[in-house]
Amino acid sequence: MTHDLAALQATDPQIADLVRAEEVRQSEKIRLIPSENYVSQAVLDACGTVLQNKYSEGYPGRRYYEGQQVIDQVERLAIDRAKAVFGVDHANVQPYSGSPANLAVYLALAKPGDTIMGMALPMGGHLTHGWSVSATGAWFNAVQYGVRRDTGRIDMDEVRDIALRERPKLMFAGGTAIPRIIDFPAFAAIAKEAGSVLVADIAHIAGLIAGGAHPSPVGHAEVISTTTHKTLRGPRGAMLMCDERHAKAIDKAVFPGLQGGPHNQTTAGIAVALREAAEPAFRGYAASIVANAKVLADELSARGFDLVSGGTDNHLILIDLTPQGVAGKPVAQALDRAGLVANYNTVPFDPRKPFDPSGLRIGTPAVSSRGMGETEMRQIGAWIDEVVAAVAKNDDDTLNATAERVLGEVREVTAKFPAPGLS
Ligand code: DSN
């Protein structure tokens, strides 16, 4: 491990030890959670700096604290790079994370009680797109769309029917468990017909869009929301991008509407990640995420797994484990013991509860950052199959033996693929 923890070790050995333990975990295991990644050492460096020490409420050139000679330059660089990478009029790089970013969109463009529309969480949407337990479901009249039973793909007929009936103020396109390309032009046409503002939440696919591996919503969605730490491979943070006409409202909603001082160390990390995303190599990275996901999906399908929508176009695969006679949670727990980290997830029309659902969600952003390819994807598919079969046997000895053996094999593979920021 290269990360210098000498000062931390001297002051707080307990936390230093835990950081090292997490480094080992991230290094030894195969991380398949599709919303996670490995940032570069450069991004890690930017985030661990004295930029942490500065308050900068406001925006570059218009701050409420003096001493912004440096911070203004950092934030301007992040904004300019976001505008260049995504080709947008305006970028706000201050939202603390995805949920606050989406809340800022509501604050900017809707009023409590307004009708808003998003994809239902169990269908693949996000909490903040109006799901009932979220403030966005409580404070707005949320109407929700889903996927077609026969295809597992977003039901654009339903989207149009609901939109024309309900005339939502905001319409969200995007989510957390969508394995297929999102048809932004189709959403835009419906939003126009319904008189809605289309908000593209590209958190999961921002890196694919930046790298040319997924169509961009620019020119279709008036507002674009994204986290920066998923496929985009930046620090934990978020950005809002929009047409010039919404710029003032969006900025005002982020600050002073919702937030205080921006996290300047994160802004610097976002700027570095965007610089990396502008490099030609990032296009290769984005393409490898999709290529790896397709191979892994192919391997799983060949082994009899039921993939929602039949496969993937992006970084994400959603497996319905019902045919295997097991639930997502015990499988995710067994996989973790075997060195393969995924998350259990609802599948569309899931008869089981969200805390014990039928599905397993996996993805390829992190393994692609390690440079893994077709051979490793086929091996991962085989390991998943073996672990699921062991869980299905419902026999502790079989499961223990399988998890132990696979963990050993996983460690042999991960040793050959050093992770960014850890090697
Ligand atoms: N938690 C994120 C994910 O895993 O998809 C969404 O916010």
Side-chain angles (χ1 to χ4, degrees):
M1 303 299 155
T2 53
H3 204 190
D4 179 6
L5 297 179
L8 181 60
Q9 180 67 41
T11 301
D12 192 337
Q14 276 175 296
I15 291 292
D17 287 349
L18 289 171
V19 172
R20 273 199 210 92
E22 177 63 10
E23 285 181 341
V24 170
R25 189 194 70 83
Q26 290 189 18
S27 175
E28 286 188 351
K29 290 198 171 182
I30 289 183
R31 298 171 59 228
L32 295 168
I33 293 173
S35 48
E36 294 185 359
N37 212 331
Y38 295 95
V39 297
S40 67
Q41 187 62 50
V43 169
L44 281 179
D45 285 353
C47 293
T49 60
V50 295
L51 301 185
Q52 177 83 245
N53 298 338
K54 186 74 194 106
Y55 250 119
S56 329
E57 290 182 4
Y59 290 101
R62 290 179 290 121
R63 304 281 193 186
Y64 289 81
Y65 294 76
E66 294 311 309
Q68 310 295 346
Q69 295 84 352
V70 176
I71 297 300
D72 274 5
Q73 295 182 61
V74 171
E75 190 167 334
R76 281 202 179 102
L77 273 175
I79 290 168
D80 289 346
R81 289 175 186 174
K83 285 161 69 174
V85 165
F86 289 97
V88 289
D89 291 348
H90 181 75
N92 184 312
V93 296
Q94 294 194 3
Y96 298 142
S97 203
S99 296
N102 285 347
L103 279 183
V105 177
Y106 287 91
L107 184 60
L109 301 172
K111 297 245 174 318
D114 279 351
T115 298
I116 62 94
M117 181 170 167
M119 191 174 191
L121 181 67
M123 292 281 175
H126 188 254
L127 277 166
T128 58
H129 297 179
W131 190 238
S132 53
V133 297
S134 152
T136 61
W139 294 343
F140 298 91
N141 172 39
V143 291
Q144 307 264 274
Y145 59 87
V147 299
R148 288 176 60 105
R149 253 182 210 279
D150 55 345
T151 62
R153 295 175 186 239
I154 295 174
D155 187 340
M156 296 308 291
D157 294 334
E158 186 190 29
V159 171
R160 184 166 180 273
D161 288 349
I162 298 174
L164 295 186
R165 188 178 67 233
E166 304 284 348
R167 306 271 167 190
K169 197 81 167 267
L170 301 177
M171 183 188 298
F172 282 86
T176 61
I178 304 173
R180 295 295 181 174
I181 282 174
I182 299 171
D183 190 345
F184 292 119
F187 269 103
I190 295 169
K192 192 169 175 205
E193 230 184 320
S196 313
V197 172
L198 179 63
V199 184
D201 184 339
I202 62 167
H204 266 255
I205 54 175
L208 302 184
I209 291 168
H214 188 291
S216 168
V218 175
H220 306 294
E222 293 174 46
V223 179
I224 299 168
S225 161
T226 187
T227 51
T228 45
H229 47 270
K230 298 186 175 90
T231 48
L232 191 56
R233 220 160 50 175
R236 306 196 78 80
M239 304 192 296
L240 287 170
M241 299 175 276
C242 60
D243 296 349
E244 197 52 56
R245 68 197 166 104
H246 295 307
K248 265 198 180 136
I250 289 287
D251 282 356
K252 205 172 144 206
V254 174
F255 173 84
L258 277 175
Q259 298 188 173
H263 295 173
N264 297 312
Q265 73 285 0
T266 302
T267 307
I270 291 172
V272 174
L274 289 166
R275 186 183 172 123
E276 291 173 350
E279 293 291 325
F282 198 85
R283 293 186 82 77
Y285 168 60
S288 75
I289 294 175
V290 176
N292 278 337
K294 282 183 184 295
V295 172
L296 182 49
D298 179 63
E299 184 66 34
L300 290 166
S301 290
R303 289 171 177 274
F305 284 94
D306 178 10
L307 309 187
V308 171
S309 83
T312 182
D313 297 327
N314 54 27
H315 64 301
L316 185 147
I317 299 163
L318 188 57
I319 310 172
D320 184 350
L321 292 163
T322 309
Q324 277 71 28
V326 290
K329 193 172 189 172
V331 167
Q333 288 168 339
L335 284 170
D336 191 31
R337 286 176 55 199
L340 298 151
V341 192
N343 70 276
Y344 57 88
N345 214 94
T346 53
V347 294
F349 311 103
D350 203 328
R352 301 178 65 96
K353 298 252 181 304
F355 205 57
D356 185 23
S358 303
L360 185 76
R361 191 182 69 151
I362 58 175
T364 52
V367 289
S368 303
S369 285
R370 298 182 84 144
M372 292 183 187
E374 174 161 0
T375 309
E376 292 72 37
M377 295 310 112
R378 297 221 176 269
Q379 179 62 71
I380 290 168
W383 282 327
I384 291 174
D385 193 10
E386 288 165 38
V387 171
V388 168
V391 173
K393 259 195 155 179
N394 208 8
D395 167 65
D396 283 352
D397 290 342
T398 306
L399 184 54
N400 291 341
T402 305
E404 201 175 319
R405 176 181 53 76
V406 173
L407 178 62
E409 292 169 8
V410 165
R411 283 187 175 141
E412 280 173 30
V413 171
T414 52
K416 291 187 220 146
F417 292 90
L422 293 174
S423 48

Coordinates of all heavy atoms in Angstrom, one line a residue, residues 184-252:
F184 N -33.0 8.9 -24.1 CA -33.3 10.3 -23.7 C -34.1 11.1 -24.7 O -35.0 11.9 -24.4 CB -32.0 11.1 -23.4 CG -31.2 10.5 -22.2 CD1 -30.0 10.0 -22.3 CD2 -31.8 10.6 -21.0 CE1 -29.3 9.5 -21.2 CE2 -31.2 10.1 -19.8 CZ -29.9 9.6 -19.9
P185 N -33.9 10.9 -26.1 CA -34.8 11.6 -27.0 C -36.2 11.3 -26.8 O -37.1 12.1 -26.9 CB -34.2 11.2 -28.4 CG -32.8 10.7 -28.1 CD -32.8 10.2 -26.7
A186 N -36.5 10.0 -26.6 CA -37.9 9.6 -26.4 C -38.5 10.3 -25.1 O -39.7 10.7 -25.1 CB -38.1 8.1 -26.3
F187 N -37.7 10.3 -24.0 CA -38.2 11.0 -22.8 C -38.4 12.4 -23.1 O -39.4 13.0 -22.6 CB -37.2 10.8 -21.7 CG -37.4 9.6 -20.8 CD1 -36.6 8.5 -21.0 CD2 -38.4 9.6 -19.8 CE1 -36.8 7.3 -20.1 CE2 -38.6 8.5 -19.0 CZ -37.8 7.4 -19.2
A188 N -37.5 13.0 -23.9 CA -37.6 14.5 -24.1 C -38.9 14.8 -24.9 O -39.6 15.8 -24.7 CB -36.4 15.0 -24.9
A189 N -39.2 13.9 -25.9 CA -40.4 14.1 -26.7 C -41.7 14.1 -25.8 O -42.6 14.9 -25.9 CB -40.5 13.1 -27.8
I190 N -41.7 13.1 -24.9 CA -42.8 13.0 -24.0 C -42.9 14.2 -23.0 O -44.0 14.7 -22.8 CB -42.8 11.6 -23.2 CG1 -42.9 10.5 -24.2 CG2 -43.8 11.6 -22.1 CD1 -42.6 9.1 -23.5
A191 N -41.7 14.6 -22.5 CA -41.7 15.7 -21.6 C -42.2 17.0 -22.3 O -43.0 17.8 -21.7 CB -40.3 15.9 -21.1
K192 N -41.9 17.1 -23.5 CA -42.3 18.3 -24.3 C -43.8 18.3 -24.5 O -44.5 19.3 -24.2 CB -41.6 18.3 -25.7 CG -41.8 19.6 -26.4 CD -40.9 19.7 -27.6 CE -41.2 20.9 -28.4 NZ -40.8 20.8 -29.8
E193 N -44.3 17.1 -24.8 CA -45.8 17.0 -25.0 C -46.6 17.2 -23.7 O -47.6 17.8 -23.7 CB -46.1 15.5 -25.4 CG -46.9 15.3 -26.6 CD -47.2 13.8 -26.9 OE1 -46.3 13.0 -26.7 OE2 -48.4 13.5 -27.2
A194 N -46.0 16.8 -22.6 CA -46.6 17.0 -21.3 C -46.4 18.3 -20.6 O -46.9 18.6 -19.6 CB -46.2 15.8 -20.4
G195 N -45.5 19.1 -21.2 CA -45.1 20.4 -20.6 C -44.3 20.2 -19.3 O -44.3 21.0 -18.4
S196 N -43.4 19.1 -19.3 CA -42.6 18.8 -18.1 C -41.1 19.2 -18.4 O -40.7 19.2 -19.5 CB -42.6 17.3 -17.8 OG -43.9 16.8 -17.8
V197 N -40.4 19.5 -17.3 CA -39.0 19.7 -17.4 C -38.3 18.3 -17.3 O -38.6 17.6 -16.3 CB -38.4 20.6 -16.3 CG1 -36.9 20.6 -16.3 CG2 -39.0 22.0 -16.5
L198 N -37.6 17.9 -18.2 CA -36.9 16.5 -18.2 C -35.6 16.7 -17.4 O -34.7 17.5 -17.7 CB -36.6 16.0 -19.6 CG -35.9 14.6 -19.6 CD1 -36.8 13.5 -19.0 CD2 -35.6 14.2 -21.1
V199 N -35.5 15.9 -16.4 CA -34.2 15.8 -15.6 C -33.6 14.4 -15.8 O -34.2 13.4 -15.5 CB -34.5 16.0 -14.1 CG1 -33.2 16.0 -13.3 CG2 -35.4 17.2 -13.8
A200 N -32.4 14.4 -16.4 CA -31.7 13.2 -16.6 C -30.8 12.9 -15.4 O -29.9 13.8 -15.1 CB -30.9 13.2 -17.9
D201 N -31.0 11.9 -14.6 CA -30.2 11.5 -13.5 C -29.2 10.5 -14.1 O -29.5 9.3 -14.2 CB -31.0 11.0 -12.4 CG -30.1 10.7 -11.1 OD1 -28.9 10.5 -11.3 OD2 -30.7 10.6 -10.0
I202 N -28.0 10.9 -14.4 CA -27.0 10.0 -15.0 C -26.0 9.5 -14.1 O -24.9 9.1 -14.5 CB -26.3 10.8 -16.2 CG1 -25.5 12.0 -15.7 CG2 -27.3 11.1 -17.3 CD1 -24.6 12.6 -16.8
A203 N -26.3 9.5 -12.8 CA -25.3 9.1 -11.7 C -24.6 7.8 -12.1 O -23.4 7.7 -12.0 CB -26.0 9.0 -10.4
H204 N -25.4 6.8 -12.5 CA -24.7 5.5 -12.8 C -23.9 5.5 -14.1 O -22.9 4.8 -14.2 CB -25.8 4.4 -12.9 CG -26.0 3.7 -11.6 ND1 -25.5 2.4 -11.4 CD2 -26.6 4.1 -10.5 CE1 -25.8 2.1 -10.1 NE2 -26.5 3.1 -9.6
I205 N -24.3 6.3 -15.0 CA -23.7 6.2 -16.4 C -22.9 7.4 -16.8 O -22.4 7.5 -18.0 CB -24.8 6.0 -17.4 CG1 -25.9 7.0 -17.4 CG2 -25.4 4.6 -17.3 CD1 -27.0 7.0 -18.4
A206 N -22.6 8.3 -15.8 CA -21.9 9.5 -16.2 C -20.5 9.2 -16.9 O -20.1 9.9 -17.9 CB -21.7 10.4 -15.0
G207 N -19.8 8.2 -16.3 CA -18.5 7.9 -16.9 C -18.7 7.3 -18.3 O -17.8 7.5 -19.2
L208 N -19.8 6.5 -18.5 CA -20.0 5.9 -19.8 C -20.3 7.1 -20.8 O -19.8 7.0 -22.0 CB -21.2 4.9 -19.8 CG -21.0 3.8 -18.8 CD1 -22.2 2.8 -19.0 CD2 -19.7 3.0 -19.0
I209 N -21.1 8.1 -20.4 CA -21.4 9.2 -21.3 C -20.1 10.0 -21.6 O -19.8 10.3 -22.7 CB -22.5 10.1 -20.6 CG1 -23.8 9.3 -20.6 CG2 -22.6 11.4 -21.4 CD1 -24.9 10.0 -19.7
A210 N -19.3 10.3 -20.5 CA -18.1 11.0 -20.7 C -17.2 10.3 -21.7 O -16.4 10.9 -22.5 CB -17.4 11.3 -19.4
G211 N -17.2 9.0 -21.6 CA -16.3 8.1 -22.4 C -16.9 7.7 -23.7 O -16.3 6.8 -24.4
G212 N -18.1 8.2 -24.1 CA -18.7 7.9 -25.4 C -19.3 6.5 -25.4 O -19.6 6.0 -26.5
A213 N -19.6 5.9 -24.3 CA -20.1 4.5 -24.3 C -21.6 4.4 -24.0 O -22.2 3.4 -23.9 CB -19.4 3.6 -23.3
H214 N -22.2 5.6 -23.9 CA -23.7 5.7 -23.7 C -24.1 7.0 -24.3 O -23.4 8.0 -24.1 CB -24.1 5.6 -22.2 CG -25.6 5.5 -22.0 ND1 -26.5 6.6 -22.2 CD2 -26.4 4.5 -21.5 CE1 -27.7 6.2 -21.9 NE2 -27.7 4.9 -21.5
P215 N -25.3 7.1 -25.0 CA -25.7 8.4 -25.5 C -25.9 9.4 -24.4 O -26.3 9.1 -23.3 CB -27.1 8.0 -26.2 CG -27.1 6.6 -26.4 CD -26.2 6.0 -25.3
S216 N -25.6 10.7 -24.8 CA -25.7 11.8 -23.8 C -27.1 12.3 -23.8 O -27.8 12.4 -24.8 CB -24.7 12.8 -24.2 OG -24.9 14.0 -23.5
P217 N -27.5 12.8 -22.6 CA -28.8 13.5 -22.5 C -28.7 14.9 -22.9 O -29.8 15.6 -23.0 CB -29.2 13.3 -21.1 CG -27.9 13.3 -20.3 CD -26.9 12.6 -21.3
V218 N -27.5 15.4 -23.2 CA -27.4 16.9 -23.5 C -28.2 17.2 -24.8 O -28.0 16.4 -25.8 CB -25.9 17.2 -23.7 CG1 -25.8 18.7 -24.1 CG2 -25.2 17.0 -22.3
G219 N -28.9 18.2 -24.8 CA -29.8 18.6 -25.9 C -31.2 18.0 -25.8 O -32.1 18.3 -26.6
H220 N -31.3 17.1 -24.8 CA -32.6 16.4 -24.6 C -33.2 16.8 -23.2 O -34.4 17.1 -23.1 CB -32.5 14.9 -24.7 CG -31.9 14.5 -26.0 ND1 -32.6 14.7 -27.3 CD2 -30.8 13.9 -26.3 CE1 -31.8 14.2 -28.2 NE2 -30.7 13.7 -27.7
A221 N -32.3 16.7 -22.2 CA -32.8 17.0 -20.8 C -32.4 18.4 -20.5 O -31.2 18.8 -20.8 CB -32.2 16.0 -19.9
E222 N -33.3 19.2 -19.9 CA -32.9 20.6 -19.5 C -32.0 20.6 -18.3 O -31.3 21.6 -18.1 CB -34.2 21.3 -19.2 CG -35.1 21.5 -20.4 CD -36.4 22.2 -20.1 OE1 -36.5 23.2 -19.3 OE2 -37.5 21.7 -20.6
V223 N -32.1 19.6 -17.5 CA -31.3 19.5 -16.3 C -30.7 18.1 -16.2 O -31.4 17.1 -16.5 CB -32.1 19.8 -15.0 CG1 -31.2 19.7 -13.7 CG2 -32.8 21.1 -15.0
I224 N -29.4 18.0 -15.8 CA -28.7 16.8 -15.7 C -28.1 16.7 -14.3 O -27.4 17.6 -13.9 CB -27.6 16.6 -16.7 CG1 -28.2 16.7 -18.1 CG2 -26.8 15.3 -16.5 CD1 -27.2 16.8 -19.3
S225 N -28.4 15.6 -13.6 CA -27.9 15.4 -12.2 C -27.0 14.2 -12.3 O -27.3 13.2 -12.9 CB -29.1 15.2 -11.3 OG -28.7 14.6 -10.1
T226 N -25.9 14.3 -11.5 CA -25.0 13.1 -11.5 C -24.2 13.1 -10.2 O -23.8 14.2 -9.6 CB -24.0 13.0 -12.7 OG1 -23.4 11.8 -12.6 CG2 -23.0 14.2 -12.7
T227 N -23.9 11.9 -9.7 CA -22.9 11.8 -8.7 C -21.6 11.8 -9.5 O -21.6 11.6 -10.7 CB -23.0 10.5 -7.8 OG1 -23.2 9.4 -8.7 CG2 -24.2 10.6 -6.9
T228 N -20.5 11.9 -8.7 CA -19.2 11.9 -9.4 C -18.3 10.6 -9.1 O -17.2 10.5 -9.6 CB -18.4 13.1 -9.0 OG1 -18.5 13.3 -7.6 CG2 -19.0 14.4 -9.7
H229 N -18.9 9.7 -8.3 CA -18.0 8.6 -7.8 C -18.4 7.3 -8.4 O -17.8 6.3 -7.9 CB -18.1 8.6 -6.2 CG -19.5 8.6 -5.7 ND1 -20.2 9.8 -5.4 CD2 -20.4 7.7 -5.5 CE1 -21.4 9.6 -5.0 NE2 -21.6 8.3 -5.0
K230 N -19.2 7.2 -9.3 CA -19.5 5.9 -9.9 C -18.7 5.6 -11.1 O -17.5 5.6 -11.0 CB -21.0 5.8 -10.1 CG -21.9 6.0 -8.8 CD -23.3 5.8 -9.1 CE -24.1 5.8 -7.8 NZ -24.6 7.2 -7.4
T231 N -19.3 5.4 -12.3 CA -18.5 5.2 -13.5 C -17.6 6.4 -13.8 O -16.5 6.2 -14.5 CB -19.4 4.9 -14.7 OG1 -20.4 5.9 -14.8 CG2 -20.0 3.5 -14.6
L232 N -17.9 7.6 -13.3 CA -17.1 8.7 -13.6 C -15.7 8.7 -12.9 O -14.8 9.4 -13.2 CB -17.8 10.0 -13.3 CG -17.2 11.3 -13.8 CD1 -17.0 11.3 -15.3 CD2 -18.1 12.5 -13.4
R233 N -15.7 7.9 -11.8 CA -14.4 7.6 -11.1 C -13.8 8.8 -10.4 O -12.6 8.9 -10.4 CB -13.4 7.0 -12.1 CG -12.6 5.8 -11.5 CD -12.0 4.9 -12.5 NE -11.2 5.5 -13.5 CZ -10.5 4.8 -14.4 NH1 -10.4 3.5 -14.4 NH2 -9.8 5.4 -15.4
G234 N -14.7 9.6 -9.8 CA -14.2 10.7 -9.0 C -14.5 10.5 -7.6 O -14.9 9.4 -7.2
P235 N -14.3 11.6 -6.8 CA -14.6 11.4 -5.3 C -16.1 11.4 -5.1 O -16.9 11.7 -5.9 CB -14.0 12.7 -4.7 CG -14.1 13.7 -5.9 CD -13.9 12.9 -7.1
R236 N -16.5 11.0 -3.8 CA -17.9 11.1 -3.5 C -18.4 12.5 -3.5 O -18.0 13.3 -2.7 CB -18.1 10.5 -2.1 CG -17.6 9.1 -1.9 CD -18.1 8.4 -0.7 NE -19.4 7.9 -1.0 CZ -19.7 6.8 -1.7 NH1 -18.6 6.0 -2.1 NH2 -20.9 6.4 -1.9
G237 N -19.3 12.8 -4.5 CA -19.8 14.2 -4.6 C -20.8 14.1 -5.8 O -21.3 13.1 -6.2
A238 N -21.2 15.3 -6.2 CA -22.2 15.4 -7.3 C -22.1 16.7 -8.1 O -21.4 17.6 -7.7 CB -23.6 15.3 -6.7
M239 N -22.8 16.7 -9.2 CA -22.8 17.9 -10.0 C -24.2 18.1 -10.6 O -24.9 17.1 -10.8 CB -21.9 17.8 -11.2 CG -20.4 17.5 -10.9 SD -19.3 17.7 -12.3 CE -19.9 16.4 -13.4
L240 N -24.6 19.3 -10.8 CA -25.8 19.6 -11.6 C -25.4 20.3 -12.8 O -24.6 21.3 -12.8 CB -26.8 20.4 -10.8 CG -27.5 19.6 -9.6 CD1 -28.2 20.6 -8.7 CD2 -28.4 18.6 -10.2
M241 N -25.9 19.9 -14.0 CA -25.6 20.6 -15.2 C -27.0 21.0 -15.9 O -28.0 20.3 -15.7 CB -24.8 19.7 -16.1 CG -23.5 19.3 -15.5 SD -22.5 18.1 -16.4 CE -23.2 16.6 -15.8
C242 N -27.0 22.1 -16.6 CA -28.3 22.5 -17.1 C -28.1 23.5 -18.3 O -27.0 24.1 -18.5 CB -29.1 23.2 -16.0 SG -28.4 24.6 -15.2
D243 N -29.2 23.8 -18.9 CA -29.3 24.8 -19.9 C -29.1 26.2 -19.2 O -29.5 26.3 -18.0 CB -30.6 24.9 -20.6 CG -30.9 23.6 -21.4 OD1 -29.9 22.8 -21.6 OD2 -32.0 23.4 -21.8
E244 N -28.6 27.2 -19.9 CA -28.3 28.5 -19.3 C -29.6 29.0 -18.6 O -29.5 29.6 -17.5 CB -27.9 29.5 -20.4 CG -27.2 30.7 -19.9 CD -26.0 30.4 -18.9 OE1 -25.1 29.7 -19.3 OE2 -26.1 30.9 -17.8
R245 N -30.8 28.8 -19.2 CA -32.0 29.4 -18.6 C -32.3 28.9 -17.2 O -33.0 29.5 -16.4 CB -33.2 29.3 -19.5 CG -33.7 27.9 -19.7 CD -34.6 27.9 -20.9 NE -34.9 26.5 -21.3 CZ -36.0 25.9 -21.1 NH1 -37.0 26.6 -20.5 NH2 -36.2 24.7 -21.5
H246 N -31.8 27.7 -16.8 CA -32.0 27.2 -15.5 C -30.9 27.5 -14.5 O -30.9 27.1 -13.3 CB -32.3 25.7 -15.5 CG -33.6 25.3 -16.2 ND1 -34.8 25.9 -15.9 CD2 -33.8 24.5 -17.2 CE1 -35.7 25.4 -16.7 NE2 -35.1 24.5 -17.5
A247 N -29.8 28.1 -15.0 CA -28.5 28.2 -14.3 C -28.7 28.9 -12.9 O -28.3 28.4 -11.9 CB -27.5 28.8 -15.1
K248 N -29.4 30.0 -13.0 CA -29.5 30.8 -11.8 C -30.3 30.1 -10.7 O -30.0 30.1 -9.5 CB -30.2 32.2 -12.1 CG -29.3 33.3 -12.4 CD -30.0 34.6 -12.3 CE -29.0 35.7 -12.5 NZ -29.5 36.7 -13.4
A249 N -31.4 29.5 -11.2 CA -32.3 28.8 -10.2 C -31.6 27.6 -9.6 O -31.7 27.3 -8.4 CB -33.6 28.3 -10.9
I250 N -30.8 26.9 -10.4 CA -30.1 25.7 -9.9 C -29.0 26.2 -8.9 O -28.9 25.6 -7.8 CB -29.4 24.9 -11.0 CG1 -30.5 24.2 -11.9 CG2 -28.4 23.9 -10.5 CD1 -31.2 23.0 -11.2
D251 N -28.3 27.2 -9.2 CA -27.2 27.7 -8.3 C -27.8 28.1 -7.0 O -27.3 27.8 -5.9 CB -26.4 28.8 -9.0 CG -25.4 28.3 -10.0 OD1 -25.3 27.0 -10.1 OD2 -24.7 29.1 -10.6
K252 N -28.9 28.9 -7.1 CA -29.6 29.4 -5.9 C -30.1 28.3 -5.0 O -30.1 28.4 -3.8 CB -30.7 30.4 -6.3 CG -31.0 31.4 -5.3 CD -32.0 32.4 -5.9 CE -33.0 32.8 -4.8 NZ -34.3 33.3 -5.3

